[in-house]
Amino acid sequence: MNKIIEKIQLSELVYQLKVEAPLIATERKPGQFILLLLSEEGERIPLTISDADPKKGSITLIFQVVGKTTHLLAELNKGDFIANLVGPLGTPTHIENFGSVVCVGGGIGAAPLYPIVQGLKNAGNKVTVILGARNKELLILENKMKASSDELIICTDDGSYGRKCLVTEPLKELCEQNNKPDLVVAIGPPIMMKFCSETTRPFNVSTVVSLNTIMVDGTGMCGGCRVIVGDKTKFVCVDGPEFDGHLVDFDNMMNRLNAYKKHENSDHHQCHIDLKIKDKE
Amino acid sequence: MAYVPPKKLAHDAKLLLEELKSKKEPLTPKDRISIPPQEMPAQNPNDRNENMNEVALGYFAEQAKLEAMRCLQCKNAPCIEGCPVRIDIPAFIKAITQEDFKKAIGIIKNNSLLAAVCGRVCPQETQCQEPCTVGKSLKDVNKAVSIGRLERYVADWERLQKNIAEPVIKPTTGKKVAIVGCGPAGITVAADVRREGHAVTIFEAFHKTGGVLVYGIPEFRLPKKIVQEEVDFLKKMGVVIKTNFIVGRTRKLTDLMGKDGYDAVFIGSGAGLPRFMNIEGENLVGVFSANEYLTRSNLMKAYDREHADTPIFDSKIVAVLGGGNVAMDAARTALRIGAKEVHLIYRRTESEMPARVEEVTHAKEEGVIFHILQNAKRIIGDQTGNVKAIECLKYKLGEPDDSGRRRPVVIDGSEFIIDVDTVIVAIGNDSNPLIKQTTPSLVTNKWCNIVVDENCKTSIDGIYAGGDIVLGAATVILAMGQGRIAARSINEYLK
């Protein structure tokens, strides 16, 4: 049981929760995630830890409502409890002074990116952040990113804020400069990570991506999260979540992410119906 | 063997028991051997492959008595030698013939805490029943005294009495013991260490307790209520259980001892890292490790589609690769979830299958199609990345290999294709690397199994280990056997 001590709605579908989890707050490192389960009949879902306060014993989770579990999570309020929460899981981000690093966050991907930006900055890197979103309303963590980076570039699909372009455009420009980045970290929707990796490939710039695949246990036991990296099968939960973007088979990963689409859609739909009924009562 | 309805088994047993009453006591060994082995009453195969309820229903009282009467009470008791925890088998069986079930379960509990579990899931035909004199005289191990079924009978009898004897716990010692993993090994250690008066905390990674008994073994083979009762019993003894706690991640092993004041630790984290075949197409949509498939169904209750949020793949035709208990469990689960056809593909013959004989029989009765001496070569996908078919090769048996089993040899050019939409890989597990990764000083072998001495002590003072994390994927009873050794060592260490 973990108590929610703060809830903020960041955009229409994105929420930020501060949750009591003293041990996780102490142990967690950038790049790691937790799994949560809201009820006995619920589903275990992974969420990245986007920040932590070891003194207060709390962690910050940022999530977008995409299915039934995230919808139910968004229904919880300050003072409510998350029934089951376990972590920190995954191999932490490899942080050192690489020189200049470009961090690309697409949509909700800004949340897992934030602790990595902090870590890289603290290690002495020159950090450029590219944040992308469909529109201004969906952009999150702008101020925090600005405070933790040397430069912040914002792109929106509709041009409602920052540049009207995809994140790959400024990324390409940065790679074309004389002093191209020493490392790129890209986190966001699979298709964005795929194209970021394709953008940096011709420039031979190392690119780390953080994958969020389907998981049950998160400890290496089920193998549902497996992805093809180079010619090897890797488990996102224990070998990752971060991998060399130039080696990840994104098409296979996207197929696997859709394995239960039909079920998820009908469950989420049912969840809407259930909630409405509850409202009426 | 053809399916016999429970009613008939009960009727036959009653008649036979009456008949035997007229015989002069005590029965001669010849009389005993001539009592037919009592079949386990089971749900009708055509009903049970559509429900999750327990398949084996347990002996009727008359059957239990008859089966117990088959025991010759051998002086040398070869069965005890075959039991990993050395239960006094002839003694508990004798108590059953005297209808003193309380005495019978008491004898079992001297050595085994999980009688209701082990009676159901132990591979008795390769353990206690393998050397049974009755089976030897009848030249068929399947005609040995059914020790496991009798064990289950008295364990269930005790559960129904609802007055399970409270264990005696010695005065508090002030020592603290941490146990990593609430599976069969951890449960055993917890009870044995707690009895000595030490404070015991179990750390479990999942949100539910029971380990493989809960996430791995299906409801139809081991009702989860039974596991829950065993864990409740531990709680009653004063054992503290912390779920959602991953030792190595939530807290480092060394911090448990250094900072949290635990005087000893037992690691029973199990063998949780599924092996794959490393063949083409293994990452297509529709290919699962048996671990994933069974965890979804058992732990997350995905079979209950109406209530559970966790999805399970909607399969029509399934191929299961492997010949162990896990393969049988996966195949039979697939049928129950709604698959029209389930093909079990195993590269040796049925006699080499590591699964319990009863599980193989049950799987066949339920309609699982067995392909022996065959193995997957590659999995074929459609344009959208979903499984479409599996290509297999045929094998023949060659010379014996290191395990003593005849090595399967591929028949060149024997490729053939089965159209399937799901492939479940059930070829075993490697050890989970999590604790090793975060505890570098812990010595492991090349398979990531923790290395221990004969007392289950690891390379670090005060840290013990047992079960699958040491043995590789083994059995519940072997894990319990190691748990007993480790508990003895821990109790000794804390003196």
Side-chain angles (χ1 to χ4, degrees):
Chain A
M1 297 280 275
N2 300 70
K3 193 175 179 181
I4 297 171
I5 52 177
E6 186 188 286
K7 179 188 178 183
I8 301 172
Q9 186 163 6
L10 298 181
S11 74
E12 191 195 341
L13 292 175
V14 177
Y15 294 83
Q16 174 177 303
L17 297 180
K18 239 180 221 172
V19 180
E20 267 179 13
L23 290 175
I24 301 175
T26 310
E27 287 291 324
R28 74 98 208 193
K29 293 193 176 65
Q32 290 189 299
F33 61 95
I34 56 101
L35 274 166
L36 60 79
L37 169 73
L38 297 179
S39 69
E40 184 86 345
E41 299 82 29
E43 184 175 12
R44 293 166 66 97
I45 59 159
L47 287 179
T48 313
I49 304 165
S50 67
D51 207 348
D53 186 340
K55 280 198 193 114
K56 284 195 183 140
S58 70
I59 57 169
T60 303
L61 306 172
I62 295 180
F63 65 95
Q64 183 168 2
V65 175
V66 288
K68 184 175 177 184
T69 304
T70 44
H71 195 140
L72 293 175
L73 187 61
E75 292 286 312
L76 296 180
N77 290 307
K78 187 180 166 180
D80 290 343
F81 286 86
I82 293 174
N84 299 279
L85 192 148
V86 63
L89 296 162
T91 306
T93 309
H94 175 68
I95 296 217
E96 62 170 71
N97 191 348
F98 297 97
S100 96
V101 184
V102 176
C103 294
V104 189
I108 189 75
L113 189 67
Y114 177 59
I116 298 171
V117 168
Q118 283 181 310
L120 288 167
K121 184 68 197 154
N122 291 341
N125 291 283
K126 175 182 181 288
V127 181
T128 303
V129 174
I130 304 174
L131 277 189
R134 284 210 309 278
N135 56 48
K136 190 182 177 199
E137 273 63 53
L138 296 176
L139 196 75
I140 57 167
L141 297 176
E142 182 192 352
N143 292 334
K144 284 192 168 181
M145 289 293 193
K146 195 178 267 171
S148 305
S149 62
D150 296 278
E151 190 189 358
L152 175 67
I153 301 167
I154 290 175
C155 331
T156 52
D157 294 1
D158 65 354
S160 54
Y161 193 52
R163 290 173 61 175
K164 184 185 175 183
C165 64
L166 298 174
V167 289
T168 43
E169 202 174 290
L171 178 63
K172 184 162 182 254
E173 290 161 13
L174 290 167
C175 289
E176 281 164 348
Q177 288 174 359
N178 284 337
N179 51 343
K180 63 177 188 186
D182 297 297
L183 178 74
V184 167
V185 181
I187 310 182
I191 194 80
M192 182 210 95
M193 293 192 279
K194 178 182 172 179
F195 281 102
C196 285
S197 303
E198 289 314 317
T199 302
T200 57
R201 193 192 299 275
F203 301 99
N204 224 354
V205 174
S206 297
T207 301
V208 171
V209 293
S210 177
L211 308 182
N212 188 352
T213 49
I214 295 172
M215 288 180 194
V216 183
D217 63 294
T219 62
M221 212 200 70
C222 80
C225 64
R226 65 194 190 278
V227 287
I228 302 170
V229 181
D231 54 355
K232 290 203 169 68
T233 294
K234 295 276 182 187
F235 287 10
V236 171
C237 66
V238 287
D239 300 319
E242 289 167 16
F243 295 100
D244 180 346
H246 294 155
L247 296 179
V248 171
D249 182 340
F250 284 101
D251 294 334
N252 175 262
M253 177 188 142
M254 286 187 268
N255 277 337
R256 293 182 58 81
L257 275 169
N258 286 329
Y260 298 103
K261 207 79 211 159
K262 218 170 77 190
H263 176 102
E264 284 160 9
N265 288 344
S266 79
D267 246 26
H268 192 190
H269 178 69
Q270 188 59 43
C271 157
H272 277 241
I273 295 171
D274 292 347
L275 287 171
K276 268 184 207 144
I277 290 167
K278 215 165 71 183
D279 288 344
K280 276 180 195 162
E281 274 169 1
Chain B
M1 191 161 303
Y3 171 75
V4 182
K7 263 192 188 155
K8 177 155 171 42
L9 292 174
H11 178 78
D12 292 355
K14 211 168 205 170
L15 283 186
L16 184 56
L17 203 56
E18 282 300 318
E19 209 175 290
L20 286 170
K21 272 185 189 154
S22 63
K23 292 228 175 188
K24 228 175 36 200
E25 288 282 343
L27 294 180
T28 64
K30 205 176 149 217
D31 288 336
R32 293 182 187 278
I33 286 183
S34 63
I35 300 172
Q38 297 298 299
E39 281 306 309
M40 177 59 103
Q43 275 195 72
N44 187 304
N46 297 325
D47 298 333
R48 73 186 191 229
N49 60 15
E50 291 175 5
N51 70 52
M52 276 289 163
N53 302 335
E54 190 170 17
V55 167
L57 302 170
Y59 273 156
F60 295 102
E62 293 82 3
Q63 285 189 292
K65 181 139 193 206
L66 282 173
E67 191 64 31
M69 287 163 73
R70 298 181 66 229
C71 174
L72 301 176
Q73 296 291 319
C74 309
K75 286 270 173 325
N76 59 343
C79 47
I80 301 181
E81 291 297 321
C83 173
V85 295
R86 300 185 59 86
I87 292 169
D88 189 348
I89 293 164
F92 100 75
I93 292 182
K94 189 167 191 183
I96 295 176
T97 63
Q98 297 158 344
E99 294 179 36
D100 189 348
F101 305 126
K102 195 168 177 147
K103 184 176 170 191
I105 188 69
I107 293 167
I108 296 173
K109 285 202 159 172
N110 284 335
N111 298 62
S112 168
L113 279 159
L114 303 173
V117 173
C118 292
R120 287 171 166 81
V121 305
C122 262
Q124 288 94 1
E125 63 268 12
T126 60
Q127 294 179 348
C128 54
Q129 290 170 202
E130 199 266 330
C132 170
T133 314
V134 175
K136 294 262 186 241
S137 340
L138 295 169
K139 298 190 171 54
D140 183 354
V141 68
N142 298 317
K143 290 182 178 159
V145 176
S146 286
I147 299 165
R149 292 170 183 175
L150 291 172
E151 179 184 26
R152 168 182 166 161
Y153 182 79
V154 290
D156 286 355
W157 173 87
E158 189 195 36
R159 289 176 49 239
L160 291 174
Q161 302 304 301
K162 303 244 184 252
N163 64 345
I164 294 176
E166 297 265 343
V168 183
I169 293 165
K170 292 189 182 163
T172 304
T173 61
K175 301 267 171 63
K176 280 168 69 177
V177 178
I179 290 170
V180 183
C182 193
I187 290 173
T188 306
V189 177
D192 280 4
V193 171
R194 177 71 194 118
R195 271 200 278 244
E196 288 300 302
H198 307 306
V200 175
T201 305
I202 304 181
F203 298 96
E204 167 58 44
F206 270 129
H207 54 283
K208 268 191 208 159
T209 48
V212 71
L213 306 177
V214 166
Y215 74 74
I217 302 177
E219 180 76 17
F220 58 79
R221 202 148 76 79
L222 176 65
K224 300 307 154 231
K225 196 168 148 262
I226 292 173
V227 182
Q228 193 51 51
E229 283 169 6
E230 302 292 353
V231 177
D232 287 345
F233 190 69
L234 285 183
K235 289 186 191 161
K236 235 162 82 187
M237 292 173 71
V239 172
V240 176
I241 299 176
K242 290 196 177 169
T243 51
N244 295 315
F245 197 113
I246 302 177
V247 173
R249 287 279 190 226
T250 312
R251 196 87 174 127
K252 288 194 190 70
L253 189 61
T254 42
D255 285 345
L256 287 180
M257 296 191 80
K259 293 180 185 165
D260 302 342
Y262 286 95
D263 300 286
V265 176
F266 172 77
I267 306 170
S269 51
L273 197 74
R275 266 185 220 147
F276 285 92
M277 306 270 295
N278 294 320
I279 56 173
E280 186 189 323
E282 220 167 4
N283 293 315
L284 289 165
V285 176
V287 184
F288 304 93
S289 74
N291 272 3
E292 179 181 358
Y293 197 75
L294 291 172
T295 302
R296 282 177 181 276
S297 177
N298 301 331
L299 180 78
M300 306 309 295
K301 299 275 177 275
Y303 64 80
D304 183 3
R305 289 181 201 258
E306 205 158 302
H307 299 103
D309 291 344
T310 303
I312 194 154
F313 206 65
D314 219 348
S315 310
K316 298 273 178 296
I317 309 177
V318 179
V320 177
L321 312 180
N325 287 318
V326 176
M328 301 303 149
D329 288 345
R332 297 169 70 196
T333 297
L335 277 180
R336 282 161 172 77
I337 290 175
K340 296 283 163 279
E341 255 178 48
V342 177
H343 299 265
L344 188 124
I345 299 167
Y346 181 60
R347 81 198 165 109
R348 301 177 193 253
T349 69
E350 204 176 305
S351 55
E352 282 95 16
M353 278 188 178
R356 298 174 80 224
V357 171
E358 191 171 283
E359 310 313 329
V360 174
T361 310
H362 282 162
K364 282 185 178 168
E365 284 175 356
E366 289 166 15
V368 175
I369 303 159
F370 278 57
H371 298 252
I372 53 158
L373 289 169
Q374 296 175 12
N375 201 13
K377 185 187 172 194
R378 68 184 174 115
I379 303 166
I380 303 164
D382 62 15
Q383 297 101 326
T384 54
N386 290 286
V387 172
K388 191 175 82 172
I390 186 165
E391 184 175 30
C392 299
L393 279 164
K394 292 184 179 163
Y395 284 68
K396 60 184 178 202
L397 286 185
E399 295 300 307
D401 63 12
D402 296 344
S403 71
R405 301 183 295 183
R406 288 177 66 192
R407 189 193 303 274
V409 183
V410 67
I411 302 171
D412 288 328
S414 63
E415 285 89 347
F416 66 100
I417 285 175
I418 310 174
D419 288 335
V420 298
D421 55 31
T422 307
V423 177
I424 302 172
V425 184
I427 55 166
N429 281 286
D430 290 322
S431 284
N432 196 295
L434 255 180
I435 288 183
K436 169 66 185 166
Q437 275 174 7
T438 50
T439 319
S441 55
L442 192 65
V443 176
T444 55
N445 66 18
K446 63 176 170 175
W447 299 283
C448 233
N449 296 129
I450 296 176
V451 176
V452 296
D453 66 11
E454 69 276 13
N455 299 315
C456 287
K457 184 185 171 301
T458 69
S459 56
I460 304 176
D461 217 32
I463 300 184
Y464 299 78
D468 282 1
I469 190 69
V470 168
L471 300 166
T475 59
V476 171
I477 189 74
L478 286 173
M480 281 184 56
Q482 283 212 312
R484 302 226 69 170
I485 295 169
R488 209 177 306 136
S489 309
I490 291 171
N491 289 334
E492 195 59 40
Y493 173 76
L494 294 179
K495 262 184 191 158

